Amino acid sequence: MRVLAHVDLDAFYTQVEVQRNPSLKGTPVVVVQYNPYGDLRTVKPSDNRLFPDSNGSIIAVSYEARKHGVKRNMMAQAAKKLCPELSIVQVPVAHGKADIQIYRDAGAAVISVLSSDGAICERASVDEAYLDVTAGAQQLLAAAAAAAAGGGDAAGDALQAQLGAGGSQQQQQAVDDAGAQPAAVGPLLPLPESIEGWHVADAAEPGAAGVAAWWARPAACWNNDELLLAAGAVVVARLRASVAQQLGYSCSAGIAHSKILAKLGSGLNKPAQQTLVPAAAVPGLLGPLPLPKLRQLGGKFGEELMTGLGVSTVGELAAVPLPRLEALVGLENAAWLQRLAQGKDDEEVKPRTLPKSISCGKTFRGASALTGLTAVHGWLSQLATELQERLDNDRRQHQRTPSQLTVSIDTLAAAAAGPDSAAVPGASAAIVQAAAAGPAAAAAGRATPQNWRAGVAAVSRSTPLRRPVAEVMAADALKLVKKWARDRGQGWKIIGIFISASNFVAAPTGASTLDSDSCSTASSS
C-alpha cells in the first residue's frame, strides 16, 4: 500500500504578489488578467502593477478577499464594490500577452523543497504537486518500532526529531476523555505535538480534536494501512512546514492511498491545512460528490456519462451494474470507471520536477480572431521569442534542450471541417470515442482527441525542432500552419494558437553549443 499526497499552494498568485510587495500582507488582494483589447505594452514584474481602476478578470483571490464574497472570474470593479479596500494587482505583460514567469519560478522553488526530503515528487501544475511519501512513512514507523522495542536514547531521540515531540497534550486529553488506559491506546506512532490545521475526513469532530481522538483509538482498531497513512501525514506536515519556513508560502494537502482521494482531500480544508483520508471515509466522501468533480470525469466525457446512465453523483455511478457500464463503454473502461467510483486509483506518482514541455500561447476573442497568414506569422514570431527566452533559461538551469516543436490551433468548429476536427454525432458516439481513448486520455482532462469546448475544434501538428531560436521556430511553425490552412481551404478563423517544445534531451556542451547562437540572435533582434 502506498501513501500519497496532493499539495496545493493556497491562492498562490496572490501569495507571490504579497511576498513581492509586503505592504499587501493581511489585506484583501486579487490578481487580474491584462486587458487583451487595451494597452499591450510591456509591464515588468518589477513595475508598479497595482491598478486600482482595472476591470480585468480575476484569476486569483486572497483569503482575506474571499471573506467579502470576492471570487475568481469576477470583474475587478464588481469585486471592489463588495470590498472597497481591495488591492488589484495585474499580471506582468510581455510579448503582447500575460507573462506568468514569476509564478512559474516561485512554483519551481516550492517543488525543490518538496522533493528535498526523499519524497517522490510529480509537478502537476504551477501551484500543485503529487507526492509519494511511502518511503518516509515507512522509515518513521521503523523508528517508532525501534524506540518501542527499547532501542535506547538514540532511537527515542531519532523518533522525537521526526515528530517534533510525542505524546501531546491533545492525545492525552483524548485518552482521558475515553477513559482508556494509556498502554492500550493509540498506534505505535505517537501523535506529534503540533497538529494545528490537521483533519481526518471521517472524524467525529473537526480539526485537531478529531485528529487526536482518531489517533487515540485502541491499538486493536488500527490496521497497517492506517498506520502508514498516519506516518505519511507526519512527513507531509514536515514538508509543508519547510515550504513555509524556507519560502514563506502556505499550502494545503490531502493524504490518502490514491491520487484521486489525495486530490479531493487537499480541497476539503484550506488554507494552510491538511486532511487525512482513511479508507473508512471514502464512501461518505465520494458518495454525494458531483461526477464532474472527479478530474477524470470532467468535460464532455462526464456529461455524456451522466446523460447515458442517468446519474449525477459518484455514489450513483458506483451503484450502476457492471454489465450496464460494459454495454456503454466496453469491458476495460467499465472496470476502470467502477474502481474510480470506489476511490481506487492505481495511477502512480511519476518522478517529475521539470515540465515535460514548455509552451506559449495566445487566445483571440471575438473580432480579434486570426483570419490570415500574415497575422498568424506575426503572433508566431511573438510566441517564438517568448519560447526562446524560456528555453534559454531552462537550459541554463537544467542542461537540457528540446527536440520536438508542436503547434496547436483552436478554430471555430464550423470552419474547421476535416478529418482532424469533425464533430462527433450523438451522445453515444461521444461515449464510444471517449472509451476508446482510454483512462489515460480521461485523466488528462480530455475525453477524446477532440477539444470539447463548445464550438471549438483543436488541431495539433509537430515537427523536429531544428534549433531553439525564435526565427527558426517561428518559420517552422508557420510551415505547419500553412499546410493546415491549405487543407482547410478558405474561411478559417483561429481563436487560439500555441507553440510548445518537448522531448527534452541532454544539452551538448562545449564551444559549439546553442548558447552563443541564442545570444547572438537575441542581440540582433
Side-chain angles (χ1 to χ4, degrees), residues 7-288:
V7 178
D8 188 13
L9 287 146
D10 302 316
F12 187 45
Y13 283 20
T14 63
Q15 285 202 75
V16 173
E17 296 297 349
V18 168
Q19 192 170 93
R20 297 179 66 88
N21 183 355
S23 68
L24 299 176
K25 187 173 182 179
T27 69
V29 178
V30 295
V31 178
V32 299
Q33 187 60 279
Y34 75 110
N35 181 5
Y37 305 111
D39 187 352
L40 299 182
R41 74 185 189 280
T42 296
V43 180
K44 297 178 181 179
S46 58
D47 291 344
N48 177 16
R49 291 183 288 109
L50 282 171
F51 290 3
D53 298 325
S54 170
N55 197 31
S57 177
I58 295 175
I59 58 176
V61 186
S62 73
Y63 282 87
E64 292 84 358
R66 296 183 193 193
K67 295 176 182 177
H68 296 268
V70 178
K71 299 178 181 179
R72 287 184 60 186
N73 299 320
M74 275 185 174
M75 304 309 290
Q77 292 307 309
K80 204 161 187 179
K81 291 179 180 179
L82 297 174
C83 180
E85 64 271 31
L86 188 68
S87 294
I88 302 171
V89 184
Q90 182 188 281
V91 296
V93 178
H95 308 293
K97 55 188 289 293
D99 175 15
I100 64 169
Q101 192 60 44
I102 56 173
Y103 312 119
R104 292 192 191 100
D105 291 343
V110 172
I111 293 297
S112 179
V113 174
L114 291 176
S115 57
S116 65
D117 197 23
I120 299 173
C121 183
E122 177 183 339
R123 186 175 187 177
S125 71
V126 171
D127 59 355
E128 61 181 333
Y130 288 98
L131 304 177
D132 187 329
V133 295
T134 307
Q138 290 171 336
Q139 291 172 4
L140 188 55
L141 289 176
D153 293 340
D157 291 345
L159 176 61
Q160 297 308 319
Q162 297 188 67
L163 291 174
S168 71
Q169 293 180 351
Q170 290 155 317
Q171 183 184 30
Q172 186 58 53
Q173 184 62 51
V175 171
D176 294 341
D177 292 344
Q181 296 300 314
V185 173
L188 178 69
L189 187 69
L191 182 68
E193 183 174 12
S194 176
I195 53 172
E196 182 180 356
W198 286 38
H199 303 266
V200 175
D202 66 341
E205 298 179 71
V211 175
W214 183 78
W215 214 287
R217 291 172 299 153
C221 294
W222 286 77
N223 59 47
N224 290 335
D225 292 346
E226 289 177 336
L227 281 172
L228 192 64
L229 198 66
V234 175
V235 175
V236 171
R238 190 167 63 217
L239 289 170
R240 290 177 47 243
S242 294
V243 170
Q245 292 164 5
Q246 295 181 36
L247 302 175
Y249 299 130
S250 75
C251 54
S252 299
I255 303 102
H257 294 304
S258 68
K259 273 186 168 182
I260 182 174
L261 294 175
K263 170 80 170 177
L264 289 172
S266 68
L268 291 178
N269 297 285
K270 293 173 70 70
Q273 301 180 66
Q274 66 178 47
T275 304
L276 289 76
V277 185
V282 174
L285 179 62
L286 286 183

Side-chain angles (χ1 to χ4, degrees), residues 210-388:
V211 175
W214 183 78
W215 214 287
R217 291 172 299 153
C221 294
W222 286 77
N223 59 47
N224 290 335
D225 292 346
E226 289 177 336
L227 281 172
L228 192 64
L229 198 66
V234 175
V235 175
V236 171
R238 190 167 63 217
L239 289 170
R240 290 177 47 243
S242 294
V243 170
Q245 292 164 5
Q246 295 181 36
L247 302 175
Y249 299 130
S250 75
C251 54
S252 299
I255 303 102
H257 294 304
S258 68
K259 273 186 168 182
I260 182 174
L261 294 175
K263 170 80 170 177
L264 289 172
S266 68
L268 291 178
N269 297 285
K270 293 173 70 70
Q273 301 180 66
Q274 66 178 47
T275 304
L276 289 76
V277 185
V282 174
L285 179 62
L286 286 183
L289 193 71
L291 214 58
K293 290 291 186 179
L294 294 184
R295 65 186 178 95
Q296 294 92 332
L297 301 182
K300 190 68 174 180
F301 184 37
E303 292 175 10
E304 298 292 1
L305 281 175
M306 288 190 289
T307 300
L309 296 171
V311 301
S312 61
T313 66
V314 178
E316 291 172 352
L317 176 63
V320 174
L322 186 60
R324 189 179 174 201
L325 283 176
E326 291 172 348
L328 193 68
V329 299
L331 294 175
E332 181 180 350
N333 287 282
W336 168 69
L337 281 172
Q338 191 174 70
R339 286 179 55 80
L340 192 66
Q342 297 168 353
K344 298 175 181 177
D345 175 15
D346 297 327
E347 185 180 353
E348 296 182 356
V349 173
K350 304 173 184 66
R352 184 175 72 241
T353 58
L354 300 178
K356 292 192 293 185
S357 63
I358 295 177
S359 62
C360 305
K362 171 74 175 176
T363 299
F364 306 96
R365 300 175 177 86
S368 65
L370 306 183
T371 58
L373 290 173
T374 300
V376 170
H377 188 202
W379 276 107
L380 285 174
S381 296
Q382 289 268 41
L383 294 174
T385 300
E386 180 187 354
L387 185 59
Q388 179 187 332

